Amino acid sequence: MRMYDLILKKRNGKELTKEEIDFFVNNYTNGNIPDYQVSALMMAIFFQKMNSRETSDLTMAMVNSGDILDLSAIEGIKVDKHSTGGVGDTTTLVLGPMVAALGIPIAKMSGRGLGHTGGTIDKLETFKGFSVEMSNEEFIDNVNSIKLAVGGQTGDLAPADKKLYALRDVTATVDNISLIASSIMSKKIAAGADCIVLDVKVGDGAFMKTSDTAFELANEMVSIGRHVGRETVAIISDMDQPLGFAVGNALEVLEAIDTLKGHGPADLLDLCLAIGSQMVVLANKASDEEAAKAMLLNTISSGSALDKLKEFVTAQGGDASIIDNTEKLPKANYIVPVLSDKKGYVKKINAESIGLIAMDLGAGRATKESVIDLSVGIVLNKKRGDKVEVGDIIAYVHANDKSKADAAKYNILNNYIIEEEVTDTIPLIYGVVKNN
């Protein structure tokens, strides 16, 4: 088998066989095929596309390129969730304790963020002492005993995906549904869960800018799940404005704690209920989504979800006393209000720009070497559809550098679109895609 023949075959619009896909993935991962040939194949796939069978075969070839977590020692149906990324997305910190409080095992592998704000691990490290470094035995024991553990992703999990993504990133071949879907699903399948719930973001602050492309990606990932025997559900949710109010690591942790205490932002809670209800149904703990939502809400009203968060943080070495005394969270030196210079209603908040402003403050990483400042970020005070008067506070900047705070104030004002009359017609949930 020659790589040249695979490139030519796909360039001419023909299907690649499973054997051909396995050949190029395995040999590229092992360093036997040069970048320039795989770049040519990625460009051929970009233009000629892949069908569902090819996409599933590519996914599993990447899964089998490295370690596959064996979670068979964990009791019960393991359900994982994944978000395609957005601004102020702290659902894992809320959902994990809620779902685990219902006795559903959550064995989650997470990463550090590169972009607007930190990843789940960065946010969890707001709890002083928290660590994702543990043996497989400790990880599994934690899930069996408290139903929730978060570990760090390793390079041995779907290494082919990491290598292919780096190549796609510099050859303008990222934006292809089959390649995006197989990249996401290879890591989730290798992480060992029985069922997967996907939160596919759509809008200005998301990778998928339109609902059509978001549904296309959702359908492709659910199709992969079906082909490889994993129950998969995808929820398409709004990211045309930041989720909740907080954008920044400690600020998002505070918002997650507030939500588990029963007074968090409505959109964050509603999205967690939408995702969580699918997880509960897939775990066979409820017959339908409405019953599952009632069960999840009860974990908040009873305090069991908050208790589960404390248990989880303590089990991984973190200071859980922060949950009862949030004054101990990292705090910025400057908290600067942003005052509106217009009167009317908020028509739009440019979510991606707000995320980049938070990154400039130090809340995220521009490069892998960047050091995150856990205390900085932005807290919105007005969101889409809200009425605003001149001089009203539309947001607060949390900063440790006065000049950065001033720049953020100016940039936030420029990314709030305020008009005389506004009707907010953008839904929080666009729809749900299932594989049955």
Side-chain angles (χ1 to χ4, degrees):
M1 196 176 292
R2 296 189 308 163
M3 190 65 181
Y4 175 91
D5 297 322
L6 274 64
I7 297 167
L8 180 64
K9 186 177 183 182
K10 181 47 72 176
R11 189 202 72 182
N12 292 339
K14 295 179 181 177
E15 288 184 38
L16 297 178
T17 66
K18 179 183 183 301
E19 291 72 25
E20 288 168 334
I21 290 169
D22 287 343
F23 169 80
F24 98 75
V25 170
N26 291 337
N27 281 282
Y28 182 55
T29 306
N30 295 331
N32 299 326
I33 298 175
D35 283 351
Y36 62 82
Q37 283 192 308
V38 178
S39 296
L41 181 60
M42 291 297 103
M43 191 61 76
I45 290 170
F46 183 88
F47 284 112
Q48 296 291 1
K49 307 191 185 325
M50 290 180 125
N51 62 26
S52 294
R53 194 272 308 157
E54 286 177 292
T55 305
S56 297
D57 286 343
L58 174 60
T59 303
M60 290 310 297
M62 292 195 291
V63 169
N64 293 322
S65 70
D67 294 342
I68 300 173
L69 294 186
D70 181 3
L71 303 181
S72 59
I74 296 174
E75 302 152 8
I77 299 172
K78 281 75 72 178
V79 184
D80 199 359
K81 58 82 61 176
H82 174 79
S83 167
T84 58
V87 182
D89 185 1
T90 185
T91 50
T92 295
L93 274 68
V94 179
L95 261 178
M98 290 171 71
V99 175
L102 295 175
I104 298 167
I106 307 292
K108 187 159 185 60
M109 306 304 292
S110 291
R112 299 184 183 279
L114 183 61
H116 311 134
T117 60
T120 297
I121 290 176
D122 296 300
K123 292 167 190 174
L124 285 168
E125 286 177 349
T126 299
F127 297 103
K128 189 176 180 181
F130 188 95
S131 175
V132 294
E133 303 301 323
M134 62 189 117
S135 67
N136 286 342
E137 291 75 17
E138 289 172 319
F139 181 77
I140 288 170
D141 285 347
N142 278 3
V143 181
N144 276 330
S145 60
I146 67 170
K147 303 302 178 186
L148 177 60
V150 174
Q153 287 176 346
T154 70
D156 294 328
L157 213 62
D161 171 63
K162 186 176 181 180
K163 196 169 181 181
L164 282 171
Y165 188 88
L167 188 67
R168 289 165 52 212
D169 194 35
V170 295
T171 57
T173 52
V174 169
D175 195 10
N176 171 276
I177 294 295
S178 289
L179 296 177
I180 297 167
S182 59
S183 175
I184 293 170
M185 290 297 286
S186 65
K187 293 189 286 287
K188 301 318 291 181
I189 292 166
D194 300 313
C195 307
I196 302 164
V197 180
L198 302 159
D199 178 16
V200 181
K201 303 291 190 185
V202 57
D204 175 74
F207 187 68
M208 313 311 288
K209 303 297 183 186
T210 69
S211 60
D212 286 347
T213 56
F215 271 99
E216 188 181 358
L217 176 60
N219 276 296
E220 192 69 68
M221 291 192 291
V222 169
S223 173
I224 291 170
R226 181 170 57 248
H227 273 88
V228 304
R230 300 289 175 101
E231 285 276 355
T232 307
V233 175
I235 289 170
I236 294 84
S237 71
D238 173 43
M239 190 40 75
D240 212 51
Q241 66 176 349
L243 181 64
F245 295 103
V247 183
N249 300 278
L251 299 171
E252 290 180 40
V253 168
L254 175 59
E255 190 164 79
I257 292 169
D258 284 345
T259 302
L260 292 176
K261 288 179 178 178
H263 44 84
D267 60 343
L268 175 58
L269 177 60
D270 288 346
L271 181 58
C272 287
L273 291 173
I275 300 168
S277 62
Q278 298 295 338
M279 297 172 76
V280 174
V281 170
L282 287 175
N284 292 332
K285 294 288 186 177
S287 57
D288 58 54
E289 285 89 345
E290 289 309 309
K293 285 180 183 178
M295 293 167 67
L296 289 164
L297 283 169
N298 186 59
T299 68
I300 293 178
S301 60
S302 69
S304 63
L306 195 68
D307 289 341
K308 186 60 65 176
L309 177 63
K310 294 174 185 176
E311 202 176 357
F312 159 61
V313 169
T314 300
Q316 295 197 212
D319 180 5
S321 70
I322 290 172
I323 296 165
D324 288 324
N325 182 12
T326 55
E327 289 298 312
K328 293 168 71 174
L329 284 166
K331 284 188 169 49
N333 292 324
Y334 304 100
I335 301 176
V336 182
V338 181
L339 307 181
S340 176
D341 57 359
K342 294 175 184 173
K343 175 183 178 180
Y345 295 85
V346 179
K347 180 182 180 181
K348 180 174 174 58
I349 305 170
N350 294 323
E352 185 173 20
S353 296
I354 295 295
L356 292 172
I357 295 166
M359 186 176 76
D360 288 341
L361 288 167
R365 293 183 180 88
T367 69
K368 289 180 181 178
E369 292 73 34
S370 300
V371 177
I372 281 182
D373 184 340
L374 294 171
S375 67
V376 303
I378 299 162
V379 177
L380 307 179
N381 199 45
K382 299 286 185 180
K383 293 191 72 175
R384 200 171 53 218
D386 287 349
K387 186 177 181 180
V388 177
E389 300 287 345
V390 174
D392 280 357
I393 297 172
I394 58 173
Y396 292 91
V397 176
H398 292 243
N400 285 319
D401 181 305
K402 191 66 169 63
S403 62
K404 287 185 177 181
D406 291 339
K409 274 179 63 177
Y410 175 80
N411 290 327
I412 290 169
L413 271 176
N414 286 338
N415 283 287
Y416 261 81
I417 298 171
I418 297 171
E419 296 190 352
E420 287 185 11
E421 292 186 12
V422 167
T423 302
D424 183 9
T425 58
I426 298 176
L428 177 64
I429 307 294
Y430 282 75
V432 180
V433 177
K434 299 183 180 182
N435 68 1
N436 46 26

